[in-house]
């Protein structure tokens, strides 16, 4: 009887082997080392496959950014440039290096009409969900050089913006921008976008809109409350300072 039970336990152990590794089953009384090793092997293979898929998505995104998806229609690069640097003097935002999750979120808002735009809505509607993912991945991987803005700034204005960005203005109930967007403007995914190196004209345009009570998109109400206490001069100072912050590719996915 004892030998029969032992044979049964051995059979159970053998039936649970994976990838040729001996995995001890119930009743064997030994650690499941083989299971964890096998799981690690599978995870390694999956990570490698995901990395290859991501690289393919970036290349597909490059084609969308530079060539568009419909014949006769301008591509993203016509305004935002292939590098994603945008056009600072024209308030066309820098999107190179911005988190893919944020770019995807905003393109979805444009396409659905949740962020109204005479320009962006028509372009975003052309893109499928997969194409939105691809072009977002492409621009998130870029790190365009920051060019000198064609607006008048001064060392004093930039220093004032630095103070506001890092310390806020507690007397006016203005919290420091760094608390959400990061001390270097690197952002945090779709909730708090990277703003380092952003077009000063675009920053002024957006902050002024929120201050005037325009929520812009479903995420805008938070910004409306944050900028309510800013003066026009403080908005200009913040925009001048933010433009001086260097940006890295793939900031805060």
């Amino acid at each position: 009887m004892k030998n029969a039970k032992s044979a049964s336990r051995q059979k159970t152990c053998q039936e649970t082997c994976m990838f040729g590794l001996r995995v001890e089953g119930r009743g064997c009384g030994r650690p499941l080392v083989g299971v964890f090793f096998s799981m690690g092997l599978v995870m390694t293979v999956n990570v490698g496959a995901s990395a290859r898929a991501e690289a393919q998505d970036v290349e597909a995104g490059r084609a969308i950014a530079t060539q568009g998806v419909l014949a006769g229609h301008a591509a993203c690069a016509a305004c935002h440039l292939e590098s994603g640097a945008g056009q600072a003097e024209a308030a066309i935002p820098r999107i190179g290096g911005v988190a893919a999750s944020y770019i995807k979120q905003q393109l979805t808002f444009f396409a659905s009409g949740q962020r109204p735009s005479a320009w962006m809505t028509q372009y975003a509607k052309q893109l499928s969900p997969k194409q939105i993912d691809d072009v977002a991945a492409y621009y998130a991987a870029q790190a365009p050089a920051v060019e000198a803005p064609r607006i008048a700034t001064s060392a004093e204005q930039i220093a004032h913006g630095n103070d506001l960005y890092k310390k806020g203005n507690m007397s006016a109930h203005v919290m420091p921008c760094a608390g959400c967007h990061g001390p270097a403007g690197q952002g945090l995914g779709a909730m708090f976008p990277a703003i380092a190196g952003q077009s000063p004209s675009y920053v002024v345009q957006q902050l002024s809109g929120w201050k005037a009570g325009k929520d812009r998109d479903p995420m805008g109400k938070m910004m409306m409350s944050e900028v309510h206490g800013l003066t026009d001069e403080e908005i200009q100072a913040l925009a001048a300072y933010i433009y001086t912050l260097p940006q890295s590719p793939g900031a805060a996915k």
Side-chain angles (χ1 to χ4, degrees):
M1 186 69 177
K2 183 176 180 181
N3 291 339
K5 289 183 178 180
S6 177
S8 176
R9 286 197 299 270
Q10 183 177 9
K11 184 174 182 295
T12 301
C13 292
Q14 291 171 345
E15 287 175 347
T16 58
C17 286
M18 300 172 62
F19 301 108
L21 299 171
R22 185 176 181 81
V23 180
E24 308 301 343
R26 182 176 179 179
C28 295
R30 298 173 188 168
L32 304 180
V33 176
V35 172
F36 295 114
F37 182 82
S38 301
M39 289 174 63
L41 178 63
V42 173
M43 289 175 65
T44 301
V45 172
N46 286 341
V47 168
S50 298
R52 288 193 296 274
E54 183 178 357
Q56 292 169 354
D57 289 344
V58 169
E59 288 307 307
R62 182 191 300 275
I64 295 168
T66 57
Q67 302 169 26
V69 293
L70 291 179
H73 288 256
C76 312
C79 295
H80 294 283
L81 307 186
E82 184 174 352
S83 67
Q87 299 181 54
E89 67 278 6
I92 296 174
R94 171 188 174 106
I95 58 176
V98 174
S101 56
Y102 181 76
I103 297 175
K104 176 181 177 179
Q105 178 200 79
Q106 294 302 306
L107 285 174
T108 302
F109 285 161
F110 284 128
S112 66
Q114 291 177 289
R115 181 176 175 179
S117 170
W119 290 98
M120 285 301 303
T121 297
Q122 59 179 320
Y123 288 107
K125 281 184 174 180
Q126 298 172 14
L127 302 174
S128 69
K130 177 62 167 60
Q131 289 171 327
I132 287 177
D133 285 345
D134 290 348
V135 77
Y138 167 71
Y139 273 120
Q142 307 308 304
V146 175
E147 299 178 358
R150 298 177 183 177
I151 59 173
T153 59
S154 66
E156 290 77 11
Q157 185 183 46
I158 292 173
H160 187 198
N162 181 16
D163 283 341
L164 286 168
Y165 186 89
K166 295 177 179 177
K167 302 175 184 177
N169 183 351
M170 296 299 105
S171 64
H173 306 289
V174 174
M175 301 301 291
C177 310
C180 294
H181 293 281
Q186 73 273 23
L188 183 62
M191 188 68 177
F192 304 113
I195 56 177
Q198 190 55 272
S199 157
S201 301
Y202 180 75
V203 172
V204 169
Q205 181 189 85
Q206 299 304 302
L207 292 180
S208 297
W210 282 313
K211 183 185 175 184
K214 299 176 183 178
D215 58 4
R216 194 188 81 169
D217 62 50
M219 306 297 289
K221 286 184 170 53
M222 178 184 293
M223 285 302 301
M224 287 170 60
S225 64
E226 292 296 328
V227 306
H228 182 73
L230 288 173
T231 66
D232 292 342
E233 292 74 17
E234 287 173 332
I235 287 175
Q236 293 284 346
L238 275 170
Y241 172 70
I242 287 169
Y243 195 74
T244 68
L245 296 173
Q247 190 173 26
S248 301
K253 299 287 185 186

